[in-house]
Structure formats: structure tokens, C-alpha cells
Amino acid sequence: MMNQILTWIETNPISSTWIGILLFFVFVFLRDITQKKHTIQRNFPIVGRLRYFLEMIGPELRQYWVANDKEERPFDRTERSWIYATAKGQNNNFGFGTTEIQYEPGYPIIKHKAFPYPESKAYIHNNDPSCIPCLKVIGPNRKFPYRPYSIVNISAMSFGSLGKNAVLALNRGARDSGSYHNTGEGGLSHYHMEGADIVWQIGTGYFGARDHSGKFNLDLLKEKVGTNACVKMIEIKLSQGAKPGKGGILPAKKVNAEIASIRHVEEGKDCISPNSHSEFTNVKELVQFIETIANGTGLPVGIKSAVGEIEFWQELADEMKRTSKGPDFITIEGGTGAAPLTYADHVSLPFKIGFQRVYTLFQKEGLSEQIVWIGSGKLGFPDRAVVAIAMGCDLINIAREAMLSIGCIQAQKCHTDHCPAGVATQNWWLQRGVDPTIKGKRAAKYIQGFRKELLSLAHSCGYEHPGQFTGQDIEISMGMNRYQTLEGLLGYKRDEVKFTKLQDYTVFPKRQA
């Protein structure tokens, strides 16, 4: 009987195909009409499934066919197009004038000078016309001080949250562009060892630097730092823009043997980041923890945090003033990745407000100049970087924009492990779409293109280095025909930059034993 059926199928391929399709739909119809979980499918068998499919691809539909160029969030189509074109080395100019509403409240205008800085006089370091070194040395009193080659760098994104090919691509891009690459709280992996400078972030789970009980292990940290000269700084994460005051969970299905080995956790179980540190519970203990790590590794140590209550920052400034100890750098974050909706929308202050409050507090205490300030939170565009620098930032960290440069399409599936672009997933099939060699070159081109435009803006405003921007160089729209300087709007002046000439800042301390 079976042989006869197979013979008939072989001799009647078209008819058998249609019968197969019909049987499939009969099966789906019976399954839909008898199940009780989904009302739409039960009431409208087969057809009802279309609703769930359209809902699933809704972001992509809106992105390409429904929304206009300025409608999408968090990055609109013109912003993504600029990143994609820059990363591919294509023409990233736009024609026929601006489509922005320049009188909209909050819109920034950068004021050019009548006599720009001559680009013919611009110093080019190491044959790299995009080199913009940090004007400050980080941790000048530590054993291994560090001056970043680039003021634009890759922000914290963990291996685990991102796939291995994405991490490889970002690290190669950071290496080729001279920027540093922050590991994220997932710890240091061999995918971070492609040659870029590394900032090792230590979160509440102490991943990669913990013992079997989950406690922080200084000896293990010292061992890994000692054998990996690419690690230039340590960043202690107090909270992040995505989930301020809340711990994170890497789902069990993402915790494979490789990730478990790197993080020192159990394979196949949820990897939980507590919402608070176990090594310190107050400001004094935090400063002691910073000094313990700095003394043990010789590296500059800083903190990263979103900004909520201001009392903590006052206590930190007071303790630093009293002891002359504390963080070498402070990263203020205002952006957000995958997070619970309420946290993403309502918890922690936006970057500009948070940075203003913390920076001015440290200014008042006379401490701001000895700290390197890093801004993070949707700053991956030259105009936004200029505003952040004019506010007092010495360095810019970029995350989602860096993801876009290696192929992210803003599908907003980061939290599902089904990222269609293969960036934020551990699915082997989806990850194979990210070629680390090609995408690494694109990440490098994006960062270099970003820096070139940043330098061009500085030259237009009469400066040799973007770090010379002040709040007087930017005006913010307050509504129709009303503009105010950034300095006047925020109510403070950034620390004076005692700039000499760019080549004076191209001496980079080497990490030696």
C-alpha cells in the first residue's frame, strides 16, 4: 500500500503537492478551532494566524513601508541611513536641504566662525586624518595610566546579549579605528582579543572575576588582567540606562557552555545579575573597592551609572575630597537597550539633565577637572557629540549606533534571541549572517567617518580639536524665533580647556610590567 502511494506521488507531483497543502490546512484548521489559548485563531481558523504574523513583523513593516523618514524611534530612517552610508564608505551627504524643524524646542544649532581653523594646518597623526585623542590622561597616578587614541568609543554590550560574530566585528572595528571596546558586564571573552583596547566592565554579577559562589575574586581579575595587555581600564557598573536599579537576566537558553565558562556560571540556567553589589553597600566601601582593584591591577578604575537621586553623588564627591581617592573616570549613561517598559520610559534622568547635575556638583567641589567624563546615550552622531562635549564630556561611548554599523536594522527583537540581523542573538543560523571581517571594516569606517565629521565641525567653529567646544558655541531653540546658548540654558560653564596643539596629546602611555 505504502509503495503504491509513493509511486502515485512520484508520477503525479503537482496533484500530490496540492493534496499535501490541502491536508496541511485541514490540520491547521482543526488545531486552531479546537485550541483555547488564542481567541482570534479559535474564531477565525487559519486566517487568524495572519494577525499574529503581521504583529510579529510590525516594526519592519512600519520601518520600510509605513513610517516617514522622521517618524521612527529610537533612530529615524535618516539617522540610520547616515550610519549605514558612513559604515560602508558611501556618500553620506543629504540633498535638497534639511527636513528638520529648526524652530522646534530643543533643536541645537552649532555656530560656525567667520574664519574657520584651516584644514591645511590640521595635524595628522600616524597617517590617520580621523585621529582625535583624549585631551586628558586617565589615571595619571595609577601604575598604568591611559590616554585613549579616540574620543569616540564602543560602549558596553556583553557577549551573551550580543552574538560572538557581532562582538568579533565590533572588536575588529575598534582595533582598526583606534577606539576602545567596553566588554559589558558579561566579562572578558576571547572574542574581545582581536587587538582593540579593552575596558573591562564589572557589574553586580562579577562575571569572569568571581568564585564558584558568585563572590568577587580579586586574584582571578589580577591574573586575567596580567595576561591580557589589551585591558586598559576597569569600569564598575553601578547601574545602566536600560535597567537602572534593577538586575538583568540572561535566559537559560542563551547560557551555553561557552558563555557559562566565560562568566563562571552554570550552563543551561538563568544567568542573573543582582540589582546591587555585594562588595560594597555605601560610598565609603565603593571608594575602597575602587582602590583595591586599582592597586591590585595597576589600571585606572571608574564607575558607570545612570542618574537618579543626587545625594549619592554628593556623598561620593565629599568622600573623594576627603580622601583624595575614588574613580578616575565617570560614565554617565542616559540611553536604554532592552528593558521592562516602565524602566525604559520612566526610570533615571535623561542624559543631558543627569550629566548636568552630576558634573556641576563635582565642579562646585573642585573635582571635575581631575576626572575624565564619559557620555553615553544616543550620542553616536556628530551634532549630539558636540553638545555632549560642550557640556563637559571628554569621551563619547556609542552602543546602538555601533550595532547599526554592523547590520542591525532596529527590528527591536534584542530581548527575544530572534534578532533577524544576527547581532543580538545566540542563534547559530541568524549569527552566520554577520561576517566579522566585513562588518568589522564597516564598524571601523563608521567610527572614522564619525570622527572626521566631528573634526570638520570643530574646524568650522575655529577649533583644532572638538574638545575645545563650549556651551557658547551652541544655541538651543526655545520655540519660534527664540534661541538661547547651551551655556545659558543649562546654567553653567564647562571647565576651561587649556589646549595647546593637537600633537601634544598624541603621546600614549604604554602598559608595561
Side-chain angles (χ1 to χ4, degrees):
M1 182 67 174
M2 182 58 69
N3 288 336
Q4 290 177 322
I5 294 174
L6 293 174
T7 301
W8 186 86
I9 291 173
E10 188 175 338
T11 55
N12 299 275
I14 296 177
S15 298
S16 58
T17 299
W18 281 110
I19 291 172
I21 293 172
L22 178 62
L23 290 174
F24 171 75
F25 279 115
V26 168
F27 171 78
V28 173
F29 177 88
L30 293 173
R31 187 181 185 282
D32 285 353
I33 206 167
T34 55
Q35 60 83 36
K36 299 180 180 179
K37 289 178 65 177
H38 304 289
T39 303
I40 298 298
Q41 285 178 221
R42 185 174 174 86
N43 291 344
F44 303 95
I46 301 177
V47 178
R49 288 178 176 267
L50 183 62
R51 175 210 184 243
Y52 297 102
F53 174 72
L54 292 174
E55 184 179 45
M56 182 178 69
I57 63 171
E60 290 86 348
L61 286 174
R62 291 190 294 273
Q63 188 176 104
Y64 296 108
W65 291 295
V66 179
N68 66 38
D69 286 349
K70 293 293 183 181
E71 231 174 20
E72 299 169 83
R73 294 292 181 269
F75 299 98
D76 65 43
R77 189 176 295 136
T78 56
E79 291 170 336
R80 297 198 315 276
S81 295
W82 181 83
I83 292 174
Y84 295 146
T86 303
K88 294 174 184 177
Q90 298 173 347
N91 184 347
N92 61 4
N93 295 318
F94 288 78
F96 214 65
T98 183
T99 58
E100 297 281 359
I101 303 172
Q102 294 182 304
Y103 291 105
E104 186 176 39
Y107 189 85
I109 293 291
I110 300 168
K111 300 191 292 185
H112 69 286
K113 293 285 197 301
F115 302 102
Y117 180 85
E119 293 191 345
S120 59
K121 292 185 178 181
Y123 174 75
I124 298 176
H125 177 71
N126 199 29
N127 294 319
D128 180 7
S130 75
C131 174
I132 311 178
C134 182
L135 295 181
K136 292 179 182 176
V137 172
I138 307 176
N141 299 319
R142 304 300 186 189
K143 184 178 180 181
F144 304 120
Y146 178 56
R147 185 198 296 277
Y149 175 95
S150 172
I151 65 170
V152 177
N153 299 282
I154 297 177
S155 192
M157 294 175 283
S158 303
F159 170 57
S161 296
L162 300 191
K164 63 181 182 180
N165 286 355
V167 175
L168 281 171
L170 290 173
N171 195 260
R172 292 176 184 180
R175 175 197 67 195
D176 295 345
S177 64
S179 67
Y180 65 66
H181 183 191
N182 192 308
T183 66
E185 68 171 319
L188 186 67
S189 74
H190 51 281
Y191 302 116
H192 292 103
M193 304 299 181
E194 295 292 301
D197 288 352
I198 288 295
V199 177
W200 184 346
Q201 186 183 92
I202 296 176
T204 56
Y206 308 113
F207 300 126
R210 56 188 259 158
D211 59 24
H212 294 297
S213 65
K215 294 292 184 181
F216 174 70
N217 187 323
L218 179 62
D219 291 334
L220 185 57
L221 178 68
K222 288 165 60 178
E223 178 188 340
K224 290 188 177 182
V225 167
T227 55
N228 294 288
C230 61
V231 181
K232 305 298 184 184
M233 301 195 296
I234 303 292
E235 180 178 76
I236 300 168
K237 189 186 86 168
L238 302 182
S239 68
Q240 66 186 60
K243 295 175 279 289
K246 186 183 190 306
I249 297 178
L250 190 66
K253 64 181 179 181
K254 275 191 171 185
V255 186
N256 55 33
E258 184 177 41
I259 290 173
S261 174
I262 291 166
R263 295 195 177 200
H264 300 175
V265 297
E266 288 189 61
E267 180 183 356
K269 290 190 176 181
D270 288 339
C271 180
I272 299 174
S273 304
N275 73 332
S276 62
H277 281 265
S278 59
E279 291 297 308
F280 53 87
T281 58
N282 55 52
V283 168
K284 184 177 291 188
E285 291 174 355
L286 167 61
V287 171
Q288 290 173 349
F289 186 61
I290 289 170
E291 294 301 316
T292 297
I293 292 177
N295 293 332
T297 63
L299 300 180
V301 179
I303 60 173
K304 167 187 172 178
S305 183
V307 179
E309 53 116 10
I310 203 67
E311 289 77 12
F312 157 75
W313 298 100
Q314 183 64 63
E315 288 181 40
L316 178 60
D318 291 342
E319 183 68 12
M320 291 177 66
K321 199 169 182 179
R322 185 182 69 83
T323 63
S324 298
K325 297 176 180 179
D328 299 297
F329 64 92
I330 294 177
T331 304
I332 300 296
E333 187 171 63
T336 179
L341 182 62
T342 301
Y343 276 84
D345 290 348
H346 299 289
V347 181
S348 87
L349 294 167
F351 168 75
K352 290 175 188 174
I353 302 301
F355 186 87
Q356 173 204 28
R357 293 186 184 179
V358 175
Y359 185 81
T360 53
L361 188 154
F362 278 78
Q363 256 192 340
K364 183 181 69 176
E365 299 297 338
L367 297 169
S368 55
E369 290 187 281
Q370 70 187 50
I371 295 167
V372 171
W373 296 92
I374 305 175
S376 179
K378 213 176 177 186
L379 301 179
F381 302 89
D383 59 301
R384 293 176 188 171
V386 167
V387 172
I389 292 167
M391 291 176 64
C393 287
D394 300 294
L395 298 169
I396 302 296
N397 279 0
I398 51 177
R400 288 170 292 176
E401 298 92 326
M403 291 170 65
L404 287 165
S405 76
I406 62 170
C408 167
I409 63 170
Q410 194 173 277
Q412 299 176 318
K413 299 280 196 307
C414 311
H415 58 299
T416 66
D417 200 34
H418 296 296
C419 168
V423 176
T425 179
Q426 296 302 310
N427 182 292
W428 71 271
W429 176 260
L430 295 173
Q431 283 193 73
R432 64 184 287 278
V434 179
D435 183 289
T437 301
I438 295 173
K439 301 300 186 181
K441 290 177 181 177
R442 290 187 180 180
K445 285 181 180 177
Y446 162 62
I447 293 170
Q448 290 168 331
F450 185 118
R451 292 198 307 242
K452 284 180 182 178
E453 197 158 321
L454 199 52
L455 273 172
S456 182
L457 285 170
H459 295 163
S460 295
C461 294
Y463 301 129
E464 186 179 5
H465 189 289
Q468 296 174 267
F469 275 110
T470 73
Q472 286 292 329
D473 297 310
I474 298 161
E475 296 215 10
I476 306 295
S477 173
M478 307 295 288
M480 184 62 70
N481 295 330
R482 293 177 60 240
Y483 273 82
Q484 186 175 6
T485 63
L486 178 67
E487 193 175 280
L489 180 64
L490 296 178
Y492 75 95
K493 294 182 180 181
R494 64 161 296 175
D495 294 332
E496 182 183 354
V497 177
K498 301 174 181 67
F499 182 81
T500 52
K501 56 185 184 298
L502 194 141
Q503 54 262 51
D504 292 340
Y505 303 92
T506 55
V507 177
F508 304 99
K510 300 294 184 184
R511 184 183 147 187
Q512 298 173 344

